[in-house]
Amino acid sequence: MSGNVRARRPASPPPGFPHVIPSAHKYPPISSRKDDLDADERRQAATKGYGPSRKSHSPGGLKITPGEWKLLLVVLAVAAFVRLFRISKPDSVVFDEVHFGKFTARYIKTRYFVDVHPPLAKLLITAAAFLSGFDGEFDFKDIGKIFENTPYVAMRMVPATLGIATVPVAYLTMRALDCRATTALLATLLLTFENGLITQSRHILLDSPLVFFTALTIFLFVGFSNEDKKEPFTEQWWTWLVLTGLSLGAVLSCKWVGLFTVATVGVCTILQLWLLLGDTRVNPRTWARHFLARAWCLIAIPILFYMTMFELHFMILGSSGEGDAFMSSEFRQTLGHGMHDTYADVALGSQVAIRHLNTQGGYLHSHSHNYPGGSGQQQITLYPHRDENNVWLILNATTDNYPEYDYETQPIEYIKDGSRIKLRHISTDKALHSHEVRPPVSDVDFQNEVSAYGMTGYAGDVNDDWVVVIDEGDKRDRESSKRVKTLRTHFRLRHLNTGCYLFSHKVKLPEWGYEQQEVTCNKNAVRVNSLWYVEIANQHPQLPADAEKVNYKIPGFLSKFWELQKVMWTTNAGLTDRHAFDSRPQTWPRLIRGINFWVKDHRQIYLIGNPFVWWLSTGSVIAYALVRAFLILRAKRGYKDFENTKVVKYDSLCGFLFTGYFLHYFPFFLMSRQLFLHHYFPALYLAILLSCAIFDFATSTLKPKIRLQIAAVLAIMAIWNFSKFSPLAYGNPWTQKQCTSARWVKTWDFACNELFVDYSHYNAIPSPEQDKPAPMAVIGGEPGGRAAVVVDDAEPPVAPQASTAVPEGIVAEPGKDIFATGDKKAKSSARFETDHNDASPSPGDLDRDMSVVGVDASGTSGNEEGSARTGEASSSGNVPADVNEAGVVAGTGERPEGPLDHEEALADQAAHELYPEARDVAE
């Protein structure tokens, strides 16, 4: 019978699999099974920090199927279409493109500027502009200004591309967190159709790069954590850890808000180290390796990356620019605007430039413009740029028992502690002066006005006298503590007659003072704000040619880096001015209000989020907090919820995302600075991921088909909300009725009145080709006849519009930039340089104001308010000397032909507004 039984042969492998010869052993030997260890070997591996071994492991814990990659490509294409659709529109400046476009131009021109944000995102935009041929000539001055010869589309592509890349990063993050593919797909769709993120990524702004690097950092850290659970200190483990550190450096280098991402990774890293410390199987040496690896990669690498971005910033911005005024003189030595060596000794007869120490507001300065009120004498300010109007001549005081001193022939007399001096302004030949008159801005009893007073040949009076009080000198130069030395001695100037100290602070003068810094004489002066030093000392007649000279020390990178960080920090904290569309953190999760970006041609771009996505994410954050609190209460009552592996998994997952959301949102409550809705975007990203993680948990017991249907409903709701508000994202035509119906919240203040009633009206708006000058006609101009007059031959067609009235509060304006005043200062400097270099004063231009101890016009003793003025110099030299401050020619009662100079007109207007009675008397 046994002969009839066929011998069984081994089963053939499936097609495509190699043929395996049967082994005599039921299981392969232990030595050949690398993934299976006995108890002793597992214990030994644990002491080295290794976790449980797995037979298969994807990099970073990502288990992405080929079908998912194809699906991800489709999602990526949709995200690209949504964010790049009509990205060339509008073809004019939008919101803070005013600032960041201007910074790009400064990079191209290599002109130094200062911004409150680190440079990475701006450098990326600049690279795109440079490669596209931008010459830096367009100034991005105003919202709505048409771009000319500017590759603005290429510049907008940088934030747009990073906004697109955020979508697949979110998908990979959700998969790395062990969520289902349906959940990851839902997360990408919610992000793709989030109106706020779309609007922000379509313009030359920094928030899209910030959100991208935040998302990338979260993904890389999740991947590293998955590798750490499998097996630490492998090549993949180090790769994920180093990439996380580089991404942390990138997010920090876009905006300082990236510190919140650093805090998120830091908190989770501390938790990891804490758990390792409590694992008795991990010896101290292995724990130290974990600590040092994380410290190097998550602290040192981000700092080095951050500093490298500033090194590039300094290398590019190698020439002087509008940011000079905010930096120290040492810093400015590196900007091609350095100072020549100057004499170290300061004596009577020295011509000096005196600089304020604390505020870095600039030099003690005067110019041929008077205060519109108070004494009406010549202004004294702090001016941040080097200028001939900063130069003063040191003379000895001429009070009783203080004899005249001929500094040109007599032995040199150094300025010592207690020296009584006068400071004579070289350009206008007036003395630095103070008296019991309140300043124009700091109008308080303990502040006195400081002015320039006198005329050629007038020796001055006691109110011109100051006492030098040396505060400290350079430790390397002992003489600098005994007498004033250039750059080395810090001193105060005490007014001899009133006892107040020459003082300045960050208060700016109004427009009539060109917004330069106020200088007063303060009886209760804070020490640091009343310290001065001599920066430049010109040649003295009694100093030998080989006399000691000094100069600023050229700072290295670390000094420049640290100084700029302090300027950025101080300025950032000082951005407390209100903006028409600023908001506070408590309003962001509820989407109470948006930001008006651009209004033109009866269209509007208004930053508003997708209400469905926004409120869904906010509800998810609240739901997780409530459920977690409920589980904690149940645990206190003895329930074993946290022994359930499913609960533990989702609690860990959601807890990580909630921690990130908390650290990206709640620190804003501690800030008093100006804040906007877009500051919420990094927290919004994490809130959207959290809502999808909760969806994954809530649908974990459902069939895949039902889960997919629920996800489809949520995605459709998000897409419908997106389409409802898409005209505000793209600046598309929209009717008043549709706009009004979209105001679901009464505080949403987009400008419906600026829109047309019907779509057909948009067709009537002339195109750029049609918008040409109308035919012109010329009347007159015949030889010997009347002058030619050009008139319009026809009125251009006007498109019908719903309303020409612009509601209050809808005008688009950029966010506050405290450094933006630099341009005005630079222009003012140019005006003053032109004024005083091109026009020399004549005797008729001298100010004949009388001091409080002088004699008035009638020859009797009087106060300064009653003093007479016979003439004032024009700033430009174009106004005759016999024209008084009201613009009336002396002796005629008439104004001269032609308009007043711009600066005189401003001062005249300010004087008329502030002191109408003086105007009436003059008239």
Side-chain angles (χ1 to χ4, degrees):
M1 186 174 178
S2 60
N4 296 330
V5 178
R6 298 177 60 185
R8 302 185 64 181
R9 63 180 180 179
S12 299
F17 281 74
H19 184 76
V20 181
I21 300 175
S23 172
H25 299 281
K26 185 175 182 180
Y27 300 103
I30 294 296
S31 59
S32 66
R33 297 173 60 209
K34 298 180 181 179
D35 293 324
D36 295 331
L37 303 175
D38 60 20
D40 293 335
E41 290 172 326
R42 285 197 297 271
R43 189 177 301 107
Q44 182 65 24
T47 60
K48 297 179 180 180
Y50 300 132
S53 181
R54 300 178 182 177
K55 294 184 179 181
S56 62
H57 178 74
S58 302
L62 286 172
K63 299 177 182 178
I64 308 295
T65 64
E68 287 183 76
W69 288 116
K70 296 177 182 178
L71 178 63
L72 197 54
L73 289 176
V74 174
V75 172
L76 191 61
V78 173
F81 174 79
V82 169
R83 279 161 174 75
L84 299 181
F85 175 69
R86 298 181 76 248
I87 195 172
S88 62
K89 303 296 180 182
D91 59 351
S92 57
V93 179
V94 176
F95 192 54
D96 274 354
E97 288 184 339
V98 167
H99 302 316
F100 303 121
K102 177 186 68 176
F103 295 151
T104 299
R106 297 294 183 270
Y107 274 126
I108 297 294
K109 293 290 189 179
T110 71
R111 295 174 182 169
Y112 186 77
F113 68 90
V114 180
D115 183 32
V116 295
H117 303 300
L120 175 59
K122 297 190 289 288
L123 288 172
L124 294 175
I125 295 171
T126 301
F130 177 77
L131 295 175
S132 301
F134 183 40
D135 58 7
E137 292 297 332
F138 188 76
D139 58 11
F140 295 86
K141 186 176 181 181
D142 300 305
I143 291 178
K145 183 174 183 178
I146 300 296
F147 288 112
E148 297 177 356
N149 302 319
T150 304
Y152 69 97
V153 174
M155 297 166 70
R156 288 176 177 175
M157 282 294 295
V158 173
T161 302
L162 295 178
I164 294 167
T166 303
V167 173
V169 169
Y171 185 95
L172 297 177
T173 302
M174 297 306 294
R175 295 293 285 132
L177 288 170
D178 202 20
C179 289
R180 296 169 178 82
T182 303
T183 303
L185 177 62
L186 176 62
T188 60
L189 293 176
L190 295 181
L191 289 169
T192 297
F193 295 101
E194 208 298 298
N195 298 57
L197 295 175
I198 293 171
T199 305
Q200 198 73 10
S201 66
R202 290 171 50 82
H203 304 290
I204 308 171
L205 304 172
L206 308 187
D207 292 277
S208 186
L210 173 70
V211 173
F212 168 74
F213 285 115
T214 298
L216 183 63
T217 301
I218 296 298
F219 164 64
L220 292 172
F221 183 72
V222 170
F224 161 73
S225 299
N226 290 337
E227 288 290 337
D228 191 57
K229 292 176 183 177
K230 175 184 178 284
E231 186 176 349
F233 306 114
T234 63
E235 184 177 345
Q236 287 189 3
W237 186 89
W238 279 107
T239 300
W240 285 93
L241 185 58
V242 170
L243 289 176
T244 302
L246 291 173
S247 187
L248 278 175
V251 69
L252 184 58
S253 299
C254 287
K255 274 189 170 186
W256 276 357
V257 178
L259 284 169
F260 303 156
T261 307
V262 174
T264 301
V265 173
V267 167
C268 295
T269 300
I270 291 173
L271 178 60
Q272 289 178 351
L273 293 173
W274 178 256
L275 294 176
L276 282 174
L277 188 62
D279 191 343
T280 57
R281 297 172 299 176
V282 178
N283 59 48
R285 183 175 181 180
T286 302
W287 187 89
R289 289 183 64 194
H290 278 277
F291 174 83
L292 293 176
R294 286 165 169 81
W296 169 252
C297 294
L298 302 182
I299 298 177
I301 288 181
I303 292 176
L304 290 174
F305 186 99
Y306 179 78
M307 296 175 70
T308 301
M309 294 301 103
F310 278 94
E311 176 66 12
L312 293 175
H313 179 79
F314 294 143
M315 289 172 61
I316 295 173
L317 301 178
S319 58
S320 179
E322 65 182 32
D324 294 16
F326 301 94
M327 312 309 298
S328 67
S329 295
E330 292 90 343
F331 192 106
R332 288 192 288 173
Q333 292 290 100
T334 66
L335 299 176
H337 197 60
M339 182 180 73
H340 297 295
D341 291 350
T342 185
Y343 286 94
D345 293 315
V346 180
L348 294 176
S350 294
Q351 295 183 16
V352 298
I354 300 175
R355 189 171 177 86
H356 194 238
L357 179 66
N358 188 40
T359 63
Q360 292 184 352
Y363 302 89
L364 187 66
H365 177 94
S366 187
H367 43 246
S368 294
H369 298 276
N370 292 357
Y371 292 114
S375 68
Q377 296 175 2
Q378 186 169 295
Q379 298 174 13
I380 296 291
T381 66
L382 274 196
Y383 187 60
H385 304 286
R386 289 182 181 135
D387 184 81
E388 288 189 4
N389 288 324
N390 304 334
V391 182
W392 301 81
L393 175 65
I394 302 179
L395 299 174
N396 66 311
T398 56
T399 57
D400 294 339
N401 302 322
Y402 205 79
E404 295 273 357
Y405 178 81
D406 185 2
Y407 62 86
E408 294 184 356
T409 59
Q410 296 184 20
I412 191 167
E413 180 73 22
Y414 295 112
I415 307 301
K416 304 181 180 64
D417 185 44
S419 294
R420 290 151 57 176
I421 63 172
K422 293 180 184 291
L423 290 173
R424 197 81 180 176
H425 191 240
I426 299 294
S427 296
T428 60
D429 201 18
K430 299 180 188 294
L432 184 71
H433 183 90
S434 186
H435 38 226
E436 290 288 350
V437 176
R438 301 288 77 78
V441 177
S442 300
D443 187 4
V444 290
D445 291 339
F446 57 85
Q447 296 262 39
N448 288 343
E449 179 192 83
V450 175
S451 63
Y453 163 76
M455 55 187 170
T456 301
Y458 177 60
D461 57 37
V462 70
N463 284 330
D464 300 339
D465 295 352
W466 302 83
V467 178
V468 176
V469 180
I470 293 180
D471 184 78
E472 64 179 357
D474 192 325
K475 296 180 180 178
R476 295 168 295 183
D477 184 355
R478 293 183 179 180
E479 287 295 315
S480 64
S481 300
K482 302 175 183 177
R483 60 186 177 93
V484 176
K485 301 289 286 288
T486 304
L487 299 179
R488 300 175 181 176
T489 304
H490 298 163
F491 59 87
R492 307 171 79 186
L493 289 174
R494 187 180 74 245
H495 192 241
L496 182 64
N497 194 35
T498 61
C500 57
Y501 287 89
L502 191 67
F503 174 88
S504 185
H505 46 175
K506 294 182 179 180
V507 173
K508 299 295 181 72
L509 294 173
E511 189 174 357
W512 52 257
Y514 309 102
E515 297 184 1
Q516 295 174 20
Q517 201 162 303
E518 182 186 41
V519 175
T520 67
C521 196
N522 194 329
K523 299 176 183 177
N524 298 327
V526 177
R527 172 182 167 274
V528 292
N529 282 344
S530 58
L531 289 178
W532 306 80
Y533 68 95
V534 174
E535 183 181 82
I536 300 174
N538 295 332
Q539 184 173 2
H540 188 281
Q542 299 298 324
L543 286 175
D546 59 349
E548 180 187 6
K549 291 187 176 182
V550 294
N551 206 330
Y552 287 109
K553 180 181 178 182
I554 301 297
F557 166 72
L558 290 178
S559 298
K560 293 170 60 179
F561 171 80
W562 185 244
E563 179 180 339
L564 182 54
Q565 302 309 300
K566 291 190 289 186
V567 170
M568 291 167 60
W569 177 268
T570 303
T571 309
N572 209 339
L575 292 175
T576 56
D577 292 346
R578 294 304 307 271
H579 185 277
F581 287 90
D582 64 3
S583 54
R584 297 307 301 169
Q586 59 267 23
T587 67
W588 299 341
R590 296 176 290 161
L591 196 60
I592 296 299
R593 194 173 183 231
I595 306 173
N596 188 22
F597 269 23
W598 178 88
V599 179
K600 192 176 182 180
D601 299 332
H602 303 280
R603 305 167 192 243
Q604 182 178 22
I605 296 177
Y606 185 94
L607 181 71
I608 191 76
N610 184 314
F612 176 77
V613 175
W614 212 279
W615 294 332
L616 177 67
S617 63
T618 300
S620 300
V621 170
I622 296 173
Y624 170 75
L626 293 177
V627 171
R628 189 63 169 83
F630 179 68
L631 291 177
I632 292 174
L633 291 176
R634 282 175 56 87
K636 288 293 184 180
R637 300 294 296 173
Y639 291 92
K640 307 297 182 182
D641 297 319
F642 290 107
E643 293 182 3
N644 185 316
T645 56
K646 182 178 179 181
V647 172
V648 171
K649 170 192 170 181
Y650 283 102
D651 177 65
S652 176
L653 189 162
C654 295
F656 168 69
L657 296 174
F658 180 83
T659 300
Y661 173 85
F662 181 90
L663 292 175
H664 282 82
Y665 173 52
F666 282 92
F668 286 110
F669 284 93
L670 306 177
M671 300 182 186
S672 59
R673 60 150 289 173
Q674 188 182 85
L675 296 172
F676 293 93
L677 182 65
H678 56 71
H679 286 107
Y680 183 67
F681 283 163
L684 174 66
Y685 172 81
L686 292 165
I688 292 174
L689 296 191
L690 178 59
S691 65
C692 294
I694 293 176
F695 165 84
D696 196 82
F697 171 73
T699 60
S700 59
T701 58
L702 301 179
K703 294 180 180 180
K705 182 178 180 180
I706 299 176
R707 184 186 307 113
L708 184 61
Q709 291 172 348
I710 297 174
V713 171
L714 295 176
I716 291 172
M717 290 292 295
I719 295 172
W720 181 82
N721 276 258
F722 157 76
S723 63
K724 181 76 173 177
F725 297 93
S726 61
L728 293 175
Y730 299 116
N732 287 343
W734 212 19
T735 66
Q736 285 192 9
K737 182 178 180 181
Q738 291 175 318
C739 177
T740 304
S741 67
R743 279 185 174 170
W744 298 349
V745 179
K746 63 180 180 180
T747 52
W748 292 353
D749 50 357
F750 25 86
C752 295
N753 289 340
E754 277 294 287
L755 307 177
F756 284 130
V757 176
D758 189 81
Y759 282 111
S760 61
H761 295 160
Y762 286 97
N763 299 327
I765 297 179
S767 63
E769 291 78 12
Q770 299 170 339
D771 193 15
K772 295 180 180 179
M776 312 299 288
V778 179
I779 301 175
E782 300 86 358
R786 60 180 173 175
V789 178
V790 180
V791 297
D792 292 344
D793 188 51
E795 290 293 330
V798 179
Q801 51 183 322
S803 173
T804 57
V806 180
E808 183 180 356
I810 68 157
V811 178
E813 59 178 289
K816 174 68 175 178
D817 178 15
I818 196 169
F819 302 108
T821 58
D823 286 338
K824 180 175 289 189
K825 291 179 181 178
K827 293 177 183 176
S828 180
S829 174
R831 287 200 297 268
F832 291 144
E833 288 175 1
T834 302
D835 295 345
H836 299 297
N837 293 340
D838 297 344
S840 58
S842 62
D845 295 333
L846 298 174
D847 185 2
R848 298 183 176 87
D849 291 351
M850 307 305 293
S851 173
V852 290
V853 297
V855 180
D856 64 14
S858 61
T860 60
S861 177
N863 57 27
E864 292 180 61
E865 287 79 355
S867 62
R869 265 194 296 267
T870 60
E872 178 59 29
S874 168
S875 65
S876 63
N878 296 329
V879 181
D882 56 351
V883 177
N884 64 20
E885 65 178 352
V888 179
V889 180
T892 67
E894 299 177 356
R895 294 180 180 273
E897 293 184 1
L900 288 174
D901 186 70
H902 176 66
E903 294 85 357
E904 292 289 357
L906 290 176
D908 186 66
Q909 180 183 1
H912 286 184
E913 292 176 354
L914 295 174
Y915 303 95
E917 54 273 11
R919 174 193 60 193
D920 298 337
V921 171
E923 294 176 352

